[in-house]
Amino acid sequence: MRDQYQREIDYLRISVTDRCNFRCRYCMPAKGVEFVEHSEIMTYEEILRFLRIAAGTGIRKVKVTGGEPLVRKGVCGFIRKVRNIPGIESVTLTTNGALLEEHLPELEAAGITGINVSLDTLDPEKFHQITRCDDFGRVWSGIHAAAQTKIPVKVNCIPMKGCNEEELAKIATLAKEYPITVRFIEMMPIGMGTGYARILQDEIKELLEDRFGTMELVDEILGNGPAGYYKIEDFKGRIGFISAVSHEFCESCNRIRLTADGILKPCLNFESRVNLKEEMRSGMTDEELERLLKNVIYHKPRCHAFGDETKKDIQEKRRMAGIGG
């Protein structure tokens, strides 16, 4: 389905939980946050019902996120059911990687079509400083195990000044040594992320070209959204950038989001008052839900307003852990 700006909306990001086994500094405080009661989290059955309706409107690609999605019991079985919905062409997963290796056989059997692993450093000590966890070894093992499968693997890194800027070239070498894509994702000015200074895409590209040579933009479709991808000579994988602020891609944005507690969000930046879970639990029919979804898609904002103080009152105030990565 197209929105009022004629963008084809075919990608739905679903947060299945707001819980996480990490406490990343740019995501939540050291003591964590108050999680949503389990009764307020959408059930798998509710999500699947909505997905069958969404597939009928043209949703073809689904991303399963959290929190950390692998901490929710039964998530691999849920993914299998999503893959079996007529019209759904791909189901990918974003994870911090700590539980990946042990779930990998189930994910393969479920038909997962892609795995994204968040990793901001290759230094175990710095990893602990960022995540407040000592699971670097498990994450590293999970990435290696996933890279041995036929599942496309991406490593997502958030560059931060004063934190991991000296490691970006080293992290990029993962795409040189393995058939995986390394993506540098610009820090989003949401929640605790507002306290970190971004490193811009152009800076990183210049750094990588100085180290590895010319980066050539490719036309390959390597993901669900509007990321830009580059190839470098002798690299087995690709380098990607997702830079929502410095290289705004709103005109080609194809996604909507569903939070773990049932809020349907047409844009990450803005608050949404469409509580899908409440509508479903109040007895809304499939036909009514389809009309609601089409209305949300049609009225998707033209662009975000990060940094626009005149729209501060209507911008999202929840932490990323409560929205979905």
Side-chain angles (χ1 to χ4, degrees), residues 43-288:
T43 67
Y44 287 142
E45 291 73 21
E46 289 170 334
I47 300 172
L48 289 167
R49 178 191 170 197
F50 174 65
L51 269 173
R52 294 185 188 100
I53 296 168
T57 71
I59 295 297
R60 297 288 176 261
K61 297 171 282 192
V62 174
K63 172 79 73 182
V64 178
T65 72
E68 168 50 47
L70 294 179
V71 303
R72 182 165 178 180
K73 185 178 179 180
V75 70
C76 294
F78 166 72
I79 289 171
R80 181 194 297 272
K81 291 178 180 178
V82 176
R83 283 287 285 140
N84 289 331
I85 294 176
I88 299 299
E89 299 171 355
S90 74
V91 183
T92 55
L93 175 82
T94 292
T95 173
N96 61 33
L99 302 175
L100 177 57
E101 187 171 17
E102 63 192 80
H103 283 88
L104 202 51
E106 281 187 277
L107 289 168
E108 285 189 276
I112 198 77
T113 55
I115 296 174
N116 297 353
V117 183
S118 300
L119 183 65
D120 300 322
T121 177
L122 299 180
D123 182 329
E125 183 177 340
K126 189 175 292 183
F127 179 91
H128 175 77
Q129 293 172 0
I130 294 172
T131 67
R132 301 187 178 99
C133 293
D134 289 316
D135 284 329
F136 176 80
R138 296 172 71 190
V139 175
W140 189 241
S141 181
I143 292 173
H144 277 262
Q148 303 306 310
T149 70
K150 295 182 180 180
I151 304 169
V153 177
K154 297 184 179 75
V155 169
N156 292 340
C157 171
I158 299 180
M160 295 167 279
K161 288 187 177 180
C163 181
N164 61 355
E165 56 193 321
E166 302 301 323
E167 285 191 81
L168 301 183
K170 185 177 181 181
I171 293 170
T173 59
L174 294 177
K176 179 179 176 67
E177 299 170 1
Y178 305 97
I180 63 178
T181 296
V182 173
R183 302 195 300 181
F184 295 102
I185 302 178
E186 194 170 79
M187 177 71 76
M188 301 296 287
I190 291 178
M192 299 186 72
T194 58
Y196 288 82
R198 295 188 299 273
I199 303 176
L200 302 183
Q201 173 178 325
D202 293 347
E203 298 177 61
I204 301 170
K205 186 172 180 291
E206 182 179 355
L207 169 71
L208 298 185
E209 289 194 314
D210 286 345
R211 174 72 178 274
F212 303 113
T214 302
M215 297 175 64
E216 182 181 345
L217 188 65
V218 298
D219 293 328
E220 297 171 86
I221 299 175
L222 298 174
N224 295 330
Y229 293 95
Y230 294 80
K231 64 179 179 180
I232 303 176
E233 188 176 357
D234 295 330
F235 271 50
K236 295 179 180 179
R238 298 289 187 251
I239 299 295
F241 294 97
I242 300 177
S243 308
V245 179
S246 66
H247 287 69
E248 180 188 305
F249 48 72
C250 295
E251 65 180 18
S252 59
C253 183
N254 63 337
R255 70 188 66 181
I256 57 175
R257 295 170 181 262
L258 181 63
T259 68
D261 56 348
I263 304 300
L264 190 59
K265 289 179 61 63
C267 177
L268 174 64
N269 183 208
F270 296 104
E271 287 184 321
S272 174
R273 293 178 174 81
V274 180
N275 193 319
L276 183 70
K277 176 195 66 193
E278 287 188 359
E279 298 291 359
M280 295 179 78
R281 293 181 182 180
S282 68
M284 186 173 276
T285 66
D286 286 0
E287 292 75 16
E288 290 170 327

